[in-house]
């Protein structure tokens, strides 16, 4: 399993557009991928799950990928978060 | 033949088949199913049909409107592929032997409730997305058709109870020949949009939805606010003639496109256009606009999930300034609040939004947002003749504060080595009576005034302009309004400044002669009204109208003013 923390820097927080881009980029992976915020963990392949966290700007989320293609999945996550300008870590 | 009357919202005659934009009621009954596998398959089929439909809508929206608007449907597609939604639904069908409609409704309701319970306006909006997507799948399950305005590819007249901003972004003027709504007034967003698109519209028609069937031949007379259903041959011929006459009058006006605006006695006035997006530039140039008297920047902020970035704004402002080729371009800073909401702004509901935290008040409350816009404007200023205007100024302190922030951002940019124009005029909207009354004081500090008549009338008459019960108080010709206008114009001229008007009134046939007499320097209106106004002004003498001013201002009622001007 790979795990990483990200700080959400977009002033509007984790809103629909970057969330859509992130979730949309993950459907091809077999690994289980989760995002955790404030003790709530959701399936990162679920747009409704991600939106339901209501992650505000400045907060930190933990993302974990577990499975055969976990490393590749995490690379994709980092790239998408950066491309979307939502996290620069 | 039937006739319905409404409010004339946009000029011209449209004759086409009616297309009802419905909001169908979808009823869900709980049923037991024996073959759950077949039910799951039926559900899968409805989801796939919805996905296929959304793909088409998304593609068409991207082609006809913009990628940004299309992104809404991208998010809807993801919801349909969401394992946390689809999984529980199939489980429910399987485990409880219930029909797909019921399982879908139960599961989606859970998400809707969850989003609605969130203490955040933006998240509450997501509940609407889930509802929207659920409705689409339900409609497929129930065999009911859901319409999307972007899918209309026949020439039609749209009939709707009301048009939301998201409906209107999907209206393609190539096919939509005109529209009729049950609710709304002359200044509602749908009415303004109709004038921008230059399609005839009647709003506030009250019974249109209940009395017009799909496919009915409809005539819209946008000038008179009349709707005729199933016209007989004679009526049809009459309106086709009117349509031709309107077109030839437009052609006549078109000849004035490249002419200067001069009155009969040779006085030059400036005719500008009001625009909402860079797309509207085409209309301004085609109609021979000499300026943009009002660029409503709030459309950059609306219909999206987040604030526009400085770059996005810079691009939009630069495009308009370049397109205007150094002609005066008045950009109004963000005017949000009141009837215009931004979901992501998460503002608390106000009891009296028109009297609340809106426009400049909001910008001063949220300086980061304001500064971003000002930076984008300042950077764009080198591409044309930019004038910056602050909306809803009530006190001189507000103007001073806003201007100080502008100057700070200008100094910062210059320190960063960014080029900024040195000849940007800074003015204010006059739409609050306190400011009109104090115009002499303001005139010493501002570079120009622009009178926003819709709000000035609303605040002077203390009558909500969205409230149909008091719409009789929307009186542009009321001497109270005219006297305020005079105060403002006189004050600006005394200090060597200029006054424009960017409300509906500036393009109004009755108001134009009065405003000319009062000495208005710039008239800004819907682009489609410019040529008509130029034609009218060429037949008016400013000296004559000045001679009538005193009498007009001494009249007692709006009706008396109207009658007097009509008989001149």
């Amino acid at each position: 399993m790979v795990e990483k923390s990200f700080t959400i820097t977009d002033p509007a927080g984790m809103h629909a557009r970057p969330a859509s881009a992130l979730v949309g980029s993950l459907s091809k992976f077999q690994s289980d991928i989760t995002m955790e915020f404030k003790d709530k963990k959701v399936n990162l392949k679920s747009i409704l799950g991600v939106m339901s966290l209501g992650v505000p700007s400045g907060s930190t989320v933990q993302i974990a990928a577990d499975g055969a293609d976990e490393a590749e999945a995490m690379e994709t996550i980092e790239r998408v978060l950066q491309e979307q300008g939502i996290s620069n870590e | 033949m039937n006739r319905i009357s409404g409010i004339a919202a946009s000029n011209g005659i449209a004759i086409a088949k009616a297309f009802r934009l419905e909001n169908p009621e979808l009823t869900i009954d709980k049923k037991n199913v024996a073959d759950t596998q077949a039910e799951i398959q039926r559900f899968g089929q409805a989801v796939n049909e919805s996905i296929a439909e959304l793909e088409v809508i998304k593609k068409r929206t991207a082609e006809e409107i913009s990628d940004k608007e299309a992104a809404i449907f991208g998010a809807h597609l993801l919801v349909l592929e969401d394992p946390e939604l689809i999984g529980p639904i199939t489980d429910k069908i399987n485990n409880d032997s219930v029909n797909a409609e019921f399982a879908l409704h139960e599961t989606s309701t859970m998400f809707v409730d969850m989003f609605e319970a969130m203490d955040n306006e933006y998240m509450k909006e997501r509940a609407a997305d889930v509802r929207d997507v659920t409705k689409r799948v339900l409609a497929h399950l129930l065999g009911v058709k859901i319409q999307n305005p972007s899918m209309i590819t026949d020439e039609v007249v749209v009939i709707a109870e009301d048009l939301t901003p998201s409906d209107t972004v999907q209206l393609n003027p190539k096919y939509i020949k005109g529209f009729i709504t049950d609710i709304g007034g002359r200044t509602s967003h749908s009415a303004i949009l109709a004038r921008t698109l230059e399609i005839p519209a009647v709003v506030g028609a009250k019974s249109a939805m209940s009395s017009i069937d799909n496919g009915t031949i409809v005539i819209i007379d946008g000038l008179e606010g009349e709707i005729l259903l199933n016209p007989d041959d004679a009526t049809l011929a009459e309106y086709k003639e009117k349509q031709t006459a309107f077109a030839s009058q437009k052609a006549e006006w078109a000849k004035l496109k490249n002419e200067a605006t001069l009155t009969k006695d040779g006085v030059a006035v400036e005719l500008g256009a009001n625009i909402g997006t860079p797309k509207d530039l085409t209309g301004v140039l085609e109609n021979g606009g000499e300026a943009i008297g009002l660029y409503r920047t709030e459309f950059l902020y609306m219909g999206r999930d987040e604030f526009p970035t400085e770059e996005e704004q810079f691009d939009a402002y630069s495009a308009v300034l370049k397109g205007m080729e150094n002609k005066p371009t008045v950009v109004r800073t963000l005017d949000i609040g009141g009837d215009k909401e931004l979901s992501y702004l998460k503002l608390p509901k106000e009891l009296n939004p028109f009297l609340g935290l809106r426009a400049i008040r909001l910008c001063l409350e949220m300086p980061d947002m304001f500064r971003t816009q000002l930076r984008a404007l300042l950077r764009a200023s080198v591409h044309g003749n930019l004038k910056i205007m602050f909306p809803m100024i009530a006190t001189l302190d507000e103007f001073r504060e806003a201007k100080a922030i502008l100057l700070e951002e200008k100094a910062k940019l210059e320190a960063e080595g960014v080029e900024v124009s040195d000849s940007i005029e800074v003015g204010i909207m006059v739409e609050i009576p306190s400011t009109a009354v104090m115009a002499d004081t303001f005139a010493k500090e501002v570079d120009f005034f622009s009178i926003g008549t819709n709000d000035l009338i609303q605040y002077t008459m203390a009558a909500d302009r969205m409230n149909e019960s008091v719409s009789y108080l929307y009186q542009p010709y009321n001497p109270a309004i005219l006297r305020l206008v005079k105060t403002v114009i006189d004050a600006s001229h005394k200090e060597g400044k200029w006054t424009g008007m960017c409300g509906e009134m500036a393009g109004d046939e009755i108001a134009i002669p009065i405003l000319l007499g009062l000495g208005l320097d710039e008239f800004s209106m819907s682009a489609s009204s410019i040529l008509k106004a130029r034609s009218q002004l060429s037949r008016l003498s400013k000296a004559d109208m000045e001679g009538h001013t005193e009498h007009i201002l001494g009249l007692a009622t709006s009706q008396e003013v109207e009658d007097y001007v009509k008989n001149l």
Side-chain angles (χ1 to χ4, degrees):
Chain A
M1 185 170 82
V2 288
E3 228 175 332
K4 222 174 147 137
S5 296
F6 296 89
T7 301
I8 303 304
T9 50
D10 190 299
M14 187 62 151
H15 54 88
R17 189 181 47 73
S20 301
L22 187 59
V23 172
S25 71
L26 297 178
S27 58
K28 59 176 187 237
F29 294 105
Q30 283 164 9
S31 301
D32 289 329
I33 308 171
T34 58
M35 180 189 263
E36 189 175 347
F37 172 65
K38 276 193 182 163
D39 301 326
K40 197 180 159 201
K41 195 185 270 187
V42 299
N43 180 353
L44 196 48
K45 293 178 188 173
S46 161
I47 182 76
L48 295 171
V50 174
M51 296 300 299
S52 74
L53 290 179
V55 182
S57 183
S59 47
T60 302
V61 296
Q62 270 84 41
I63 294 180
D66 190 5
D69 48 9
E70 58 188 36
E72 207 189 321
M74 189 58 82
E75 271 171 35
T76 302
I77 292 163
E78 284 179 64
R79 182 174 49 78
V80 173
L81 284 176
Q82 239 177 48
E83 278 172 4
Q84 293 298 317
I86 188 151
S87 174
N88 46 21
E89 283 166 62
Chain B
M1 186 173 74
N2 279 321
R3 199 181 278 266
I4 302 173
S5 290
I7 299 164
S10 178
N11 228 332
I13 309 275
I15 305 173
K17 278 185 303 181
F19 182 99
R20 292 167 58 88
L21 207 56
E22 316 242 11
N23 207 357
E25 278 285 323
L26 302 171
T27 35
I28 302 123
D29 297 317
K30 184 180 179 181
K31 286 180 195 151
N32 283 316
V33 293
D35 187 349
T36 53
Q37 279 317 304
E39 192 65 6
I40 289 172
Q41 217 172 359
R42 192 169 79 87
F43 173 64
Q45 168 90 14
V47 170
N48 288 337
E49 283 166 358
S50 304
I51 290 177
E53 189 175 87
L54 279 169
E55 296 278 10
V56 177
I57 295 169
K58 185 184 164 199
K59 185 161 165 276
R60 191 160 288 159
T61 308
E63 281 166 6
E64 307 273 2
I65 323 277
S66 81
D67 286 340
K68 199 186 77 201
E69 313 296 350
I72 303 164
F73 301 111
H76 285 192
L77 278 165
L78 273 182
V79 172
L80 283 180
E81 286 156 9
D82 194 324
E84 303 295 325
L85 178 72
I86 304 302
I89 293 170
T90 45
D91 287 350
K92 202 170 186 64
I93 297 174
N94 220 358
N95 301 338
D96 303 350
S97 302
V98 289
N99 54 335
E101 288 89 340
F102 183 74
L104 169 64
H105 177 70
E106 289 273 289
T107 311
S108 66
T109 302
M110 201 187 74
F111 279 106
V112 168
D113 290 349
M114 181 183 74
F115 283 122
E116 273 189 341
M118 288 182 159
D119 189 21
N120 174 329
E121 273 307 312
Y122 177 78
M123 286 300 162
K124 286 184 182 158
E125 291 274 315
R126 304 283 72 77
D129 285 336
V130 178
R131 257 197 229 106
D132 200 341
V133 176
T134 307
K135 201 165 134 191
R136 189 174 298 284
V137 182
L138 268 177
H140 279 289
L141 282 169
L142 295 167
V144 178
K145 207 162 162 43
I146 288 201
Q147 300 146 332
N148 278 85
S150 68
M151 304 295 283
I152 300 172
T153 52
D154 285 331
E155 295 198 350
V156 296
V157 163
V158 165
I159 322 285
E161 199 189 331
D162 192 16
L163 290 169
T164 64
S166 72
D167 285 333
T168 54
V169 302
Q170 295 184 65
L171 292 180
N172 185 345
K174 199 159 91 190
Y175 303 115
I176 314 297
K177 296 291 134 191
F179 65 71
I180 301 168
T181 58
D182 276 359
I183 58 180
R186 226 190 112 71
T187 58
S188 64
H189 287 298
S190 49
I192 291 171
L193 180 94
R195 290 193 287 275
T196 308
L197 293 176
E198 294 191 35
I199 57 175
V202 172
V203 300
K206 291 188 179 113
S207 60
M209 270 313 250
S210 58
S211 53
I212 305 178
D213 293 326
N214 259 329
T216 307
I217 298 294
V218 176
I219 299 177
I220 300 181
D221 183 340
L223 189 66
E224 301 293 329
E226 290 286 319
I227 301 156
L228 293 109
L229 309 176
N230 291 319
D232 51 45
D233 288 349
T235 312
L236 202 58
E238 179 196 336
Y239 275 88
K240 281 194 171 150
E241 208 167 289
K242 271 196 186 181
Q243 204 173 23
T244 316
F246 185 73
S248 65
Q249 190 169 44
K250 266 178 105 170
E252 204 51 44
W253 292 335
K255 291 182 189 154
L256 298 171
K257 182 178 155 183
N258 299 313
E259 303 286 318
T261 311
L262 288 177
T263 61
K264 201 164 83 181
D265 52 345
V267 180
V269 291
E270 192 174 75
L271 287 186
N274 302 337
I275 67 164
T277 73
K279 275 194 289 189
D280 301 337
L281 257 178
T282 328
V284 180
L285 302 173
E286 278 171 6
N287 288 292
E290 293 159 287
I292 285 174
L294 171 66
Y295 175 10
R296 303 183 167 97
T297 56
E298 48 277 12
F299 289 100
L300 265 170
Y301 292 72
M302 288 161 75
R304 52 187 293 153
D305 294 335
E306 63 203 318
F307 286 114
T309 62
E310 186 182 317
E311 284 313 306
E312 263 176 82
Q313 296 192 51
F314 170 76
D315 289 345
Y317 306 149
S318 303
V320 171
L321 286 166
K322 283 181 192 159
M324 287 303 285
E325 294 176 336
N326 245 14
K327 294 192 192 92
T329 303
V330 181
V331 180
R332 177 173 74 187
T333 58
L334 183 60
D335 183 2
I336 213 80
D339 57 332
K340 288 168 282 188
E341 288 180 42
L342 292 183
S343 55
Y344 54 90
L345 203 55
K346 301 155 195 163
L347 287 174
K349 283 263 172 288
E350 296 180 315
L351 207 53
N352 292 301
F354 275 117
L355 303 179
L357 188 62
R358 56 174 294 209
I360 197 70
R361 304 169 181 183
L362 182 66
C363 286
L364 294 175
E365 183 77 23
M366 300 184 65
D368 289 347
M369 174 184 84
F370 190 40
R371 283 175 192 272
T372 304
Q373 178 170 44
L374 295 176
R375 278 176 66 92
L377 278 170
L378 289 163
R379 284 172 52 206
S381 66
V382 292
H383 295 300
N385 182 358
L386 171 68
K387 300 174 194 304
I388 295 176
M389 170 161 85
F390 302 127
M392 280 286 289
I393 294 282
T395 68
L396 196 58
D397 292 329
E398 281 174 343
F399 172 70
R400 285 177 179 159
E401 192 181 341
K403 189 173 175 182
I405 294 175
L406 177 72
L407 293 179
E408 263 176 51
E409 289 307 319
K410 182 168 184 261
K412 273 194 230 164
L413 281 169
E414 283 167 343
E416 291 167 27
V418 179
E419 205 191 333
V420 177
S421 165
D422 255 331
S423 51
I424 306 171
E425 289 187 15
V426 183
I428 60 168
M429 293 272 290
V430 180
E431 43 196 340
I432 300 182
S434 65
T435 303
V437 168
M438 294 292 284
D440 56 340
T441 311
F442 276 98
K444 292 183 169 57
E445 298 190 28
V446 303
D447 295 323
F448 65 92
F449 291 124
S450 182
I451 304 173
T453 49
N454 290 342
D455 274 330
L456 185 64
I457 295 167
Q458 151 166 284
Y459 295 128
T460 305
M461 309 302 277
D464 181 348
R465 62 183 162 100
M466 310 300 272
N467 183 340
E468 283 167 39
S469 328
V470 292
S471 64
Y472 75 96
L473 287 169
Y474 182 80
Q475 297 185 358
Y477 322 129
N478 188 296
I481 304 297
L482 301 178
R483 289 183 195 190
L484 282 178
V485 170
K486 181 179 195 302
T487 306
V488 176
I489 296 173
D490 288 352
S492 69
H493 288 175
K494 206 172 159 208
E495 295 295 330
K497 312 288 170 71
W498 60 274
T499 296
M501 178 176 285
C502 57
E504 286 308 311
M505 193 173 163
D508 181 295
E509 222 168 342
I510 305 283
I512 285 175
I514 307 173
L515 297 170
L516 179 69
L518 288 170
L520 189 74
D521 305 287
E522 182 233 35
F523 297 65
S524 190
M525 56 195 72
S526 305
S528 56
S529 307
I530 290 176
L531 292 170
K532 185 183 171 201
R534 185 168 295 154
S535 158
Q536 188 188 2
L537 282 159
S538 71
R539 285 175 271 120
L540 291 169
S541 149
K542 182 169 181 181
D544 279 357
M545 285 317 304
E546 279 170 351
H548 293 291
T549 299
E550 202 187 319
H551 180 79
I552 290 171
L553 293 174
L555 292 171
T557 68
S558 181
Q559 193 58 50
E560 284 179 26
V561 173
E562 189 172 341
D563 293 344
Y564 184 81
V565 175
K566 275 184 175 165
N567 289 319
L568 279 178

